[in-house]
Amino acid sequence: MRRIESIFIHPSLMCAIALTAVAAPTAVAEQPYAGEIARWTAQDRLDPPEAGAILFIGSSSIRRWEQLTRDFDDYRVIQRGYGGCHFDHVNQYADEIVLPYKPSAIVVWAGANDLNSGQPADELVEDFEAFIEKVHGEQPGVEVFYLGVTSTIGNEASKDARDEANARISELCAQGERLHFIDLPSAFYDLGGPDDEAFSGMYVDDLHLNRKGYRFWTSLIRPNVEAVVKPNKAYQPNPDAPGAGASILFDFGPSNAEDGAHTTGADTNGNHWNNWHEAKGNVAVNAGEHLAGLVDSNGEPTGVGMVITGGFATNGVRNGGLAEPDADRLGDLAVATATQDFFFSSADDRWGGGNDDAGGGFMLTGLNPEGSYDFRFFGSRVDPSETRATEFRVFGSNRGKATLTTTGEGVGSDGAYAGNDGEIAEVSGISPDRFGQVFIDMTVVEGTYAYLNAMEMRVRSLGARDHDNNERGAHAAAREN
């Protein structure tokens, strides 16, 4: 029997907590998804997205698209997916998370949950029309791409309504200005059905795609987008980028006293840390959330930012974080406020495996494309019931990976402690892509959960790339899955 972690309750089902920096515009309990919307809008006010990006919005298949920013690495991307939403929820929050971005294009995946819940095609088409009226009524130049609702292993009951809705929306797009229907349904029908490996091999569960499925999605979606909206990302040199030998330290985890704490000021070694926004344990951190203004270990601004690409759950003090780290084993990462709490993921990209809803990934921006960077990851969670291991994959213009055993009987340095207290996963010599981006992905490779408590990124060198780690070129490595 699988042991169940104290995992997050999805914000659509509870009164999630907005960032303390900015109060939520309405009471969370009054609206579905209000906690998620409040976090995004609060972070947007602190770190406003640049106008002209491509907005990917919709339900869980947008939220779970962890490699989206890699698949569209040469576009400015805003990812706003909230699991379980219907098209009318997209319309409901258009004033908060659509129109303020002034996007050049919008890619919409919405309607699958509507139809699966028994909603007729008429209502979905009306919601689509309302969305177009809202967007083009205020921003007529926006290109809108609608992703046709595909068949899945678990939605055969909605086939008739799905086919009708797709046909009618496709016709509306053909007749309208700046409207584009991307015919995912035909491509998926061509794969066969649930009994065909070509079809079922695209899914991690009855409804959601695995990494192979998202590669297939990208092969269909990107050419359609690129035919209308050309790549719009340009490298912008970062005058504050950390120099050779500098390091950036990050403390992952919640900040409420019961579950964790931020690492503030200078630690006992004189180092300064970065922390995620204020958050309680058991509340999700979703794809598309972002943090600007990272500092180096001297407390100096770096111009480096972080964007969540695959969601996390959070936990810590009450659930087995490392409370007494040893500097002889962990060096600069041996700071209790950093090791006692953690982000965690349950994604393993396997049918019947973990819950890939929390994909576990993030990207760093503002780095020097000609630089070489070393990464050190520490993860730990005490639990003697099973051994757990995390694979950290790091992508830039080259790639690297390392595996860390975080949990299990006898894992500790003394053979008795049931958590990691002395091992660090290291990935060295990573060069950012041509836009100064690096992507980090976490995957469960043993047990049920992957953990990240603390991380150090150190600038190995600047001005000459280190290509020893299987250099593949900017696009090939960034899109490797």
Side-chain angles (χ1 to χ4, degrees), residues 11-364:
S12 64
L13 304 177
M14 66 176 287
C15 294
I17 306 301
L19 295 181
T20 58
V22 184
T26 56
V28 172
E30 294 175 1
Q31 299 178 342
Y33 308 105
E36 292 164 279
I37 305 303
R39 291 200 303 278
W40 279 321
T41 57
Q43 293 169 22
D44 292 341
R45 287 190 285 273
L46 296 170
D47 176 29
E50 183 181 352
I54 296 183
L55 170 64
F56 289 78
I57 191 166
S59 55
S60 58
S61 291
I62 296 295
R63 176 169 53 80
R64 295 165 69 118
W65 192 352
E66 182 182 351
Q67 59 263 43
L68 170 61
T69 52
R70 280 186 275 145
D71 293 336
F72 287 80
D73 59 344
D74 49 353
Y75 284 87
R76 288 184 283 114
V77 167
I78 298 172
Q79 186 174 6
R80 296 290 181 265
Y82 35 118
C85 82
H86 290 206
F87 212 136
D88 59 357
H89 296 125
V90 175
N91 291 335
Q92 178 180 357
Y93 294 111
D95 287 327
E96 287 85 7
I97 59 167
V98 178
L99 297 177
Y101 301 135
K102 295 181 172 59
S104 61
I106 303 172
V107 179
V108 186
W109 168 263
N113 294 317
D114 314 50
L115 300 174
N116 289 344
S117 68
Q119 180 176 306
D122 284 344
E123 291 186 22
L124 177 54
V125 174
E126 289 172 3
D127 286 335
F128 173 77
E129 292 176 316
F131 180 75
I132 298 306
E133 181 178 357
K134 177 74 170 178
V135 172
H136 281 173
E138 298 197 29
Q139 298 171 13
V142 177
E143 304 286 350
V144 178
F145 298 84
Y146 182 77
L147 305 180
V149 182
T150 61
S151 56
T152 70
I153 294 172
N155 71 354
E156 185 62 26
S158 65
K159 182 180 186 303
D160 291 344
R162 184 172 68 248
D163 289 347
E164 179 185 349
N166 283 330
R168 291 173 61 184
I169 293 175
S170 176
E171 184 177 357
L172 288 170
C173 290
Q175 296 173 352
E177 293 289 332
R178 301 188 185 281
L179 301 180
H180 313 274
F181 181 85
I182 298 183
D183 192 9
L184 301 182
S186 293
F188 273 78
Y189 280 139
D190 289 345
L191 296 176
D195 294 332
D196 295 289
E197 173 59 28
F199 182 89
S200 63
M202 298 289 177
Y203 289 90
V204 73
D205 58 36
D206 283 350
L207 297 175
H208 299 105
L209 298 169
N210 57 21
R211 289 173 180 163
K212 180 180 179 181
Y214 277 114
R215 288 197 294 272
F216 187 51
W217 249 36
T218 301
S219 74
L220 302 170
I221 296 169
R222 185 177 167 108
N224 280 274
V225 171
E226 194 166 358
V228 179
V229 181
K230 299 306 179 184
N232 60 8
K233 183 177 286 182
Y235 170 62
Q236 298 178 344
N238 174 10
D240 296 321
S247 68
I248 291 177
L249 295 162
F250 206 98
D251 172 4
F252 294 89
S255 53
N256 61 306
E258 297 84 1
D259 296 301
H262 282 170
T263 303
T264 58
D267 64 19
T268 56
N269 301 313
N271 293 324
H272 293 258
W273 288 69
N274 299 277
N275 304 273
W276 190 244
H277 300 281
E278 298 286 341
K280 283 192 173 183
N282 291 329
V283 173
V285 175
N286 285 328
E289 294 194 36
H290 51 113
L291 177 68
L294 272 61
V295 300
D296 65 18
S297 59
N298 293 319
E300 297 297 324
T302 66
V304 174
M306 177 181 289
V307 181
I308 302 299
T309 57
F312 290 94
T314 64
N315 229 318
V317 174
R318 291 184 291 181
N319 291 276
L322 178 62
E324 298 180 357
D326 187 336
D328 289 338
R329 299 189 182 101
L330 299 180
D332 284 345
L333 297 182
V335 176
T337 50
T339 62
Q340 69 184 358
D341 49 18
F342 45 80
F343 281 10
F344 71 100
S345 165
S346 49
D348 58 8
D349 198 42
R350 293 188 298 111
W351 182 278
N355 180 0
D356 283 56
D357 202 57
F362 56 95
M363 64 182 288
L364 298 172

Side-chain angles (χ1 to χ4, degrees), residues 369 395-399 430-434 437-438 465-467 470-478:
F395 300 89
S397 65
N398 56 345
R399 60 176 178 160
I430 296 295
S431 294
D433 69 11
R434 60 195 172 115
Q437 304 169 141
V438 166
R465 292 172 181 256
D466 182 341
H467 287 170
N470 192 20
E471 169 64 38
R472 290 193 166 193
H475 290 292

